[in-house]
């Protein structure tokens, strides 16, 4: 584990060691301010002289030598340092450890790139009790978001690890969503929120693309929107047309819910529909529980063609019903495929 | 039993990542709502013609009631209940606008064009204009699904009666 340490004090020489993101899970380095040591070592008197002369000799290797490896037990380290040291810890360790609560005083909780690989939105509470230094914001960061299917994320990770050799400054206030800006992009809250919003929108567009038939080849957002609009309109038109038809036939109607489902069920095995939308719908009524059918059984006069008895299941037993309605239903569904 | 075999084939698919309406549930609700309503309509107006608008009203009502977990259904219900005269909730037949290819108009107008289309989409969705874009896009997904199911149910009902 590497640590970045910054010593400060009266005669401080600020030595900063930079972390390398040798680990894909490390995104950012945070700085722990003096407050940490104030929390943990209230009675601390700066014994800087004994420490600081060594500071210039500090390098990564030395840092490593007295740091515990994975568990990054900061209080221990702190004790070792004897110094008014500002420690910025590698976030990867901190976040994943259960000692997170301890380390919150550092306020350097960080997100991992692993999150990007998961289909979850990472919300990090930044518990910043740190004193603010005059530092400028660093553009090096990334947006951790819900859309995980894009390769873009991997690229971001790559760019992040490339940038990790740079200095990371404290940039975030207390926020609930720890969002990183990509390299070279603005980090003000507006653009970050805007970008998050856009990504969410594009994710939904992708989802819609799966939903609307025949959209796989269309790549542009505008084209996709076109398709969606057309599809919704055609569906609505179909519904209107059908309800019109229903209005004309309803005076003579003999409703039999049963038959409706029977037809659905019966036609299911025989359908060979190119439209991916259809098959799930075919199965819709097939799972219709028996008791529900009975309770919903609206019984005027059984349709003479299909139901020969009052037994709801008769249409299944009656193999003829299949063939009788076959062509009708096939037309029905082929029309639906449009 | 055939029904058992068919039961095994039933599928539940997700309309939206965070919402999963079993299509079966929807269709069941829908038909069980619509059919009795139509029956009632028939009985109430034996002699006179069943008004097409009334039927449409019932159709839309059944749709809205069957999909109450979605935002758009609330808007649809509002629209339906607020009007005494049954109105067509979808004006697609009167507008009948088919979006034409606008692929030529790329460039600087890209965003504006996209926004225009989003607005168009918002008009199609009941209550879409009151939602923001992301919410609307999510709702459109399950609205489409429910429309499809509704279409099937309606077709089978119509088929049943002809």
């Amino acid at each position: 584990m590497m640590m970045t340490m910054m010593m400060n004090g009266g005669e401080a020489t600020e030595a900063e060691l930079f972390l390398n993101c040798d680990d894909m899970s490390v995104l950012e380095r945070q700085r722990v301010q003096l407050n940490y040591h104030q929390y943990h070592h209230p009675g601390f008197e700066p014994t800087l002289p004994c420490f600081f002369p060594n500071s210039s000799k500090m390098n990564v290797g030395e840092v490593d030598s007295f740091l515990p490896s994975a568990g990054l037990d900061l209080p221990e380290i702190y004790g070792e340092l004897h110094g008014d040291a500002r420690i910025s810890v590698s976030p990867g360790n901190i976040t994943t450890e259960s000692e997170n609560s301890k380390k919150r005083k550092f306020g350097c909780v960080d997100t991992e790139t692993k999150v990007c690989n998961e289909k979850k939105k990472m919300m990090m509470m930044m518990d910043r009790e740190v004193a603010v230094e005059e530092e400028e914001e660093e553009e090096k960061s990334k947006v951790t978001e819900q859309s995980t299917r894009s390769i873009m994320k991997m690229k971001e990770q790559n760019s992040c690890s490339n940038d990790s050799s740079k200095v990371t400054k404290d940039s975030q206030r207390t926020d609930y969503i720890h969002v990183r800006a990509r390299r070279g992009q603005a980090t003000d809250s507006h653009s970050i929120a805007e970008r998050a919003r856009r990504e969410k929108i594009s994710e939904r567009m992708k989802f819609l693309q799966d939903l609307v038939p025949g959209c796989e080849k269309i790549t542009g957002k505008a084209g996709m929107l076109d398709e969606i609009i057309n599809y919704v309109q055609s569906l609505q038109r179909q519904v209107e047309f059908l309800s019109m038809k229903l209005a004309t036939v309803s005076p003579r109607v003999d409703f039999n819910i049963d038959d409706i489902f029977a037809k659905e069920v019966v036609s299911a095995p025989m359908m060979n529909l190119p439209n991916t939308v259809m098959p799930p719908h075919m199965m819709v009524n097939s799972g219709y529980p028996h008791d529900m059918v009975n309770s919903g059984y609206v019984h005027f006069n059984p349709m003479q063609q299909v139901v020969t008895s009052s037994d709801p299941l008769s249409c299944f037993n009656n193999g003829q019903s299949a063939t009788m309605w076959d062509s009708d239903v096939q037309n029905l569904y082929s029309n639906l495929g449009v | 039993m055939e029904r058992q075999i068919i039961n095994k084939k039933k599928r539940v698919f997700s309309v939206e990542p965070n919402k999963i309406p079993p299509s079966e549930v929807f269709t069941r609700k829908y038909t069980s709502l619509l059919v009795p309503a139509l029956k009632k309509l028939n009985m109430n107006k034996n002699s006179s013609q069943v008004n097409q608008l009334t039927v449409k009203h019932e159709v839309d009502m059944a749709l809205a009631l069957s999909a109450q977990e979605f935002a758009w259904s609330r808007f649809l219900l509002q629209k339906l209940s607020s009007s005494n005269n049954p109105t067509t909730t979808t004006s697609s037949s009167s507008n009948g606008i088919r979006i034409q290819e606008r692929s030529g108009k790329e460039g600087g107008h890209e965003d504006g064009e996209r926004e225009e289309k989003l607005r168009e989409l918002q008009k199609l969705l009941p209550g879409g204009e009151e939602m923001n874009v992301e919410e609307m896009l999510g709702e459109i997904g399950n609205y489409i699904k429910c429309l499809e199911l509704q279409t099937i149910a309606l077709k089978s009902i119509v088929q049943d009666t002809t």
Side-chain angles (χ1 to χ4, degrees):
Chain A
M1 264 316 301
M2 298 194 203
M3 296 251 299
T4 304
M5 296 180 44
M6 190 180 82
M7 277 62 72
N8 201 358
E11 56 265 49
T13 59
E14 297 206 345
E16 288 185 310
L17 304 166
F18 301 124
L19 280 176
N20 274 326
C21 287
D22 52 359
D23 178 1
M24 283 302 273
S25 67
V26 173
L27 285 184
E28 199 178 287
R29 303 183 301 277
Q30 305 288 339
R31 261 209 202 127
V32 172
Q33 306 295 327
L34 196 52
N35 287 348
Y36 174 79
H37 103 81
Q38 283 174 354
Y39 277 106
H40 288 264
H41 299 265
F44 171 76
E45 66 278 352
T47 57
L48 299 174
C50 65
F51 184 67
F52 278 113
N54 298 327
S55 66
S56 55
K57 298 182 204 156
M58 291 267 306
N59 56 23
V60 172
E62 284 187 3
V63 171
D64 275 348
S65 61
F66 57 82
L67 288 180
S69 49
L72 205 56
D73 203 357
L74 290 169
E76 269 179 51
I77 297 164
Y78 204 84
E80 276 195 89
L81 291 177
H82 303 296
D84 179 8
R86 300 183 185 203
I87 304 169
S88 87
V89 289
S90 165
N93 286 328
I94 293 186
T95 6
T96 50
E97 302 307 319
S98 54
E99 299 110 347
N100 230 355
S101 54
K102 268 197 270 175
K103 302 188 179 23
R104 283 185 55 187
K105 297 276 173 25
F106 283 95
C108 49
V109 181
D110 200 284
T111 60
E112 301 191 0
T113 52
K114 253 188 272 179
V115 170
C116 305
N117 299 332
E118 299 166 3
K119 301 195 176 207
K120 263 185 238 176
K121 195 178 289 197
M122 191 68 149
M123 313 256 288
M124 302 301 295
M125 289 277 295
M126 300 284 293
D127 186 11
R128 309 227 115 235
E129 293 161 351
V130 297
V132 179
E133 287 192 350
E134 306 148 356
E135 285 160 341
E136 45 205 19
E137 295 203 354
E138 178 69 32
E139 309 93 9
K140 178 200 73 105
S141 49
K142 54 187 285 194
V143 176
T144 56
E145 267 266 310
Q146 195 172 353
S147 62
T148 56
R149 284 185 281 170
S150 59
I151 312 174
M152 185 175 64
K153 286 293 167 196
M154 292 309 296
K155 285 192 202 151
E156 285 175 12
Q157 292 174 14
N158 291 336
S159 69
C160 168
S161 57
N162 289 337
D163 298 339
S164 59
S165 54
K166 293 189 188 172
V167 180
T168 306
K169 318 273 188 173
D170 283 337
S171 57
Q172 309 287 343
R173 303 278 176 242
T174 22
D175 266 333
Y176 290 92
I177 301 178
H178 191 200
V179 172
R180 285 81 187 306
R182 278 183 218 113
R183 181 181 177 200
Q185 295 190 356
T187 55
D188 59 307
S189 56
H190 279 303
S191 45
I192 289 181
E194 177 67 29
R195 206 171 315 121
R197 184 174 157 268
R198 262 184 267 140
E199 294 205 10
K200 202 170 168 194
I201 288 180
S202 64
E203 178 204 340
R204 301 238 163 129
M205 294 281 297
K206 281 196 203 119
F207 177 73
L208 285 175
Q209 196 171 18
D210 294 334
L211 201 61
V212 177
C215 269
E216 296 83 18
K217 20 188 166 41
I218 301 177
T219 47
K221 267 189 203 162
M224 259 308 299
L225 284 176
D226 269 346
E227 275 303 310
I228 296 174
I229 290 175
N230 287 336
Y231 188 61
V232 171
Q233 280 177 337
S234 77
L235 280 180
Q236 285 176 340
R237 259 179 272 143
Q238 262 180 353
V239 168
E240 265 195 57
F241 170 73
L242 284 173
S243 69
M244 196 169 54
K245 227 172 146 189
L246 203 53
T248 59
V249 302
S250 60
R252 305 182 323 250
V253 91
D254 292 331
F255 285 122
N256 192 340
I257 287 189
D258 209 42
D259 292 336
I260 297 166
F261 293 119
K263 279 204 308 294
E264 299 274 325
V265 167
V266 157
S267 59
M270 303 168 218
M271 281 298 113
N272 185 17
L273 295 163
N275 195 340
T276 55
V277 162
M278 285 310 300
H281 301 156
M282 304 286 299
M283 305 309 168
V284 158
N285 301 310
S286 60
Y288 204 86
H290 185 48
D291 49 340
M292 185 58 190
V293 173
N294 285 333
S295 64
Y297 191 57
V298 177
H299 182 43
F300 290 112
N301 300 310
M303 295 290 291
Q304 51 275 53
Q305 288 169 326
V306 177
V307 178
T308 53
S309 71
S310 57
D311 181 3
L313 300 178
S314 65
C315 37
F316 298 104
N317 300 330
N318 187 3
Q320 299 168 4
S321 60
T323 54
M324 211 169 298
W325 290 98
D326 192 1
S327 56
D328 281 354
V329 177
Q330 280 202 354
N331 287 338
L332 184 152
Y333 286 119
S334 59
N335 285 341
L336 186 59
V338 179
Chain B
M1 193 66 176
E2 273 185 50
R3 190 173 268 273
Q4 282 171 355
I5 297 172
I6 288 155
N7 274 340
K8 284 183 199 156
K9 292 189 207 161
K10 78 178 161 182
R11 248 165 71 182
V12 171
F13 52 95
S14 61
V15 168
E16 203 180 327
N18 47 351
K19 281 182 186 164
I20 306 182
S23 53
E24 167 200 341
V25 172
F26 173 84
T27 316
R28 185 192 315 165
K29 273 196 233 171
Y30 184 80
T31 48
S32 63
L33 280 170
L34 183 59
V35 172
L38 288 174
K39 174 175 74 150
K40 211 174 15 162
L41 270 185
N42 278 337
M43 296 177 68
N44 290 342
K45 308 186 181 188
N46 344 354
S47 52
S48 60
Q49 281 279 331
V50 177
N51 194 1
Q52 184 201 337
L53 284 180
T54 321
V55 172
K56 188 63 168 62
H57 178 97
E58 289 302 326
V59 162
D60 291 332
M61 183 69 84
L63 174 65
L65 291 175
S66 314
Q68 278 182 329
E69 56 262 24
F70 301 129
W72 52 264
S73 79
R74 288 199 301 272
F75 287 104
L76 191 53
L77 276 176
Q78 276 176 17
K79 233 186 284 191
L80 290 173
S81 53
S82 66
S83 58
N84 275 336
N85 300 325
T87 55
T88 53
T89 55
T90 65
S91 50
S92 53
S93 63
S94 48
N95 289 350
I97 304 171
R98 194 156 179 95
I99 305 292
Q100 273 128 30
E101 290 293 320
R102 290 190 220 171
S103 49
K105 264 205 262 179
E106 294 293 324
H109 299 287
E110 206 174 291
D111 267 353
E113 179 184 326
R114 200 155 57 81
E115 278 184 27
E116 204 177 313
K117 292 190 183 154
L118 283 172
R119 256 177 272 128
E120 186 76 39
L121 204 52
Q122 270 179 325
K123 283 190 226 154
L124 289 176
L125 184 71
E129 274 138 11
E130 279 105 39
M131 305 178 193
N132 59 28
V133 175
E134 345 172 324
E135 191 185 346
M136 194 253 323
L137 284 179
E139 291 289 322
I140 278 274
N142 50 60
Y143 182 63
I144 287 178
K145 244 341 168 224
C146 291
L147 275 184
E148 289 167 357
L149 295 174
Q150 182 188 37
T151 317
I152 297 181
L154 280 176
K155 281 198 177 178
S156 58
I157 292 177
V158 168
Q159 200 75 20
D160 194 35
T161 64
T162 53

